[in-house]
Amino acid sequence: IAAAVTAGNALGSDLLGSPIAMVFLVSTAVLGFLGGLAAVSAVDLMSTSLLQAQVGRVSVLQTAISATLVLVVTAAELLFFKHTSALQSHIALLWMGAIAFAMAIPFVLLVVPAPNPGRVRGPTLRQVIPLGVSQVREHRWLRTFLLVQTCFISLTLGTAFFSAHAAALHGNVVGHLHLIVAFTATGLIVYGFVWARTRSIATVRGMHVLAGGLIVAAALFAIAADTWDLPYEEWLFGVILALAAVASQVSSTAKRVWLLRYVGGEHRAITIGFAQLVTSLASTLTALVLGVVAHLQGVVWPVYLLLALTLAALGTVRLIPSIRLDA
């Protein structure tokens, strides 16, 4: 489905021009649903297939390999295909994304869930929310987890709004989208190498602090670029987006380890799904507010708000358990 949606965006951009904006809104909703589905499925699969110490390793290794492939494909596309306009350059990269999604399908078919001969029919959607609420009431760790993840919502939204800020300034430049993707991939590859040397001392609390610090640094760089006419702004925004991407991945890895450290029992899947639902709703509402602010005040204003949200979230780090990721 993701391959079809991305290909539709690329084709529509070529044929429709400006009216494609409404199609992008629908596409974003569909891709968001698919992303949520994949996130819940991945965590559920990890909880039945991996040891505690393997969760962080698999997440980071997956990210590093993916980022390497993205970097190679993006660089090759920019070098070997010459584009006459920024729009054609961006559309070409969309087509590459659609092809990548399609190529992933055979590999997905290799994933086999753990056998469960006693599997029974799961709860209906109407039953999930009451059951999730009962799990929140019963487990203190889950209440703390949801509170912290909601406070750190800026880590998941950072990349989107930093990208919007960059696109507003440099979106009409040929290869600019390639630059964004390349810097983001490079940041994730560097994170993979750093992780390999620091995972023995990494903790869930420390990774949240690191992720928050990266978003603060990215926000300050973006505000500086907007306030002063800094040279090489395109490269600067590449660094900003790399910091945001790494922060999001650091947070995601820590979140998975924390969740899988405690989740279990009969309602494991419900707890995972409900946690994703709560944090996704918080992300949606926050993103809507930031989007309205960007439309009314300018694209840099959401960056100010992301900075404020992150600084406030860092005040909750004492609630985060010091779970060793490689324990």
Side-chain angles (χ1 to χ4, degrees):
I1 296 174
V5 169
T6 309
N9 287 341
L11 186 62
S13 298
D14 210 11
L15 298 178
L16 300 179
S18 297
I20 191 65
M22 290 304 298
V23 178
F24 279 160
L25 289 177
V26 177
S27 300
T28 303
V30 173
L31 291 174
F33 170 77
L34 296 174
L37 182 65
V40 173
S41 300
V43 175
D44 189 40
L45 187 65
M46 285 183 175
S47 69
T48 58
S49 306
L50 300 177
L51 297 175
Q52 175 72 27
Q54 294 175 323
V55 175
R57 299 179 194 177
V58 169
S59 298
V60 178
L61 183 61
Q62 168 200 340
T63 300
I65 294 173
S66 302
T68 302
L69 291 173
V70 167
L71 184 60
V72 170
V73 171
T74 303
E77 200 279 331
L78 184 60
L79 289 174
F80 294 109
F81 295 92
K82 301 301 181 182
H83 304 289
T84 57
S85 68
L87 178 60
Q88 292 302 316
S89 171
H90 301 339
I91 290 174
L93 202 58
L94 277 176
W95 278 115
M96 299 301 293
I99 293 171
F101 276 129
M103 292 177 63
I105 294 173
F107 296 97
V108 175
L109 299 178
L110 298 175
V111 178
V112 180
N116 187 0
R119 185 182 298 275
V120 296
R121 182 178 176 84
T124 64
L125 185 60
R126 184 177 297 179
Q127 296 170 324
V128 166
I129 294 179
L131 285 171
V133 172
S134 68
Q135 291 294 301
V136 172
R137 290 175 177 173
E138 182 178 348
H139 301 291
R140 181 179 178 182
W141 74 265
L142 185 55
R143 295 195 295 272
T144 304
F145 176 83
L146 292 176
L147 173 63
V148 171
Q149 297 308 318
T150 302
C151 290
F152 275 92
I153 217 72
S154 58
L155 302 184
T156 56
L157 296 177
T159 304
F161 283 95
F162 288 130
S163 297
H165 189 198
L169 297 180
H170 306 291
N172 59 346
V173 179
V174 174
H176 176 67
L177 185 58
H178 295 70
L179 187 67
I180 289 176
V181 173
F183 265 93
T184 301
T186 302
L188 293 174
I189 293 170
V190 172
Y191 166 55
F193 281 107
V194 173
W195 161 263
R197 289 159 177 75
T198 60
R199 70 185 187 197
S200 60
I201 61 173
T203 65
V204 171
R205 179 185 295 176
M207 293 190 76
H208 277 82
V209 173
L210 172 62
L214 291 173
I215 287 293
V216 169
L220 291 176
F221 283 142
I223 291 170
D226 190 83
T227 305
W228 299 292
D229 188 17
L230 299 180
Y232 307 110
E233 277 195 12
E234 291 182 34
W235 293 99
L236 177 60
F237 272 102
V239 173
I240 291 169
L241 289 163
L243 292 174
V246 173
S248 178
Q249 186 58 38
V250 169
S251 172
S252 176
T253 302
K255 175 182 176 180
R256 286 182 175 182
V257 173
W258 184 0
L259 185 59
L260 295 182
R261 172 65 176 78
Y262 293 100
V263 75
E266 179 185 357
H267 300 301
R268 182 192 73 250
I270 292 174
T271 303
I272 295 171
F274 186 77
Q276 180 72 22
L277 175 64
V278 172
T279 53
S280 296
L281 286 174
S283 296
T284 301
L285 293 175
T286 306
L288 285 173
V289 172
L290 295 177
V292 170
V293 171
H295 182 69
L296 296 178
Q297 299 294 331
V299 289
V300 72
W301 278 94
V303 177
Y304 283 104
L305 295 178
L306 286 173
L307 176 60
L309 288 172
T310 306
L311 291 174
L314 288 171
T316 68
V317 294
R318 294 185 64 85
L319 299 174
I320 304 172
S322 294
I323 303 170
R324 291 275 295 275
L325 270 72
D326 215 22

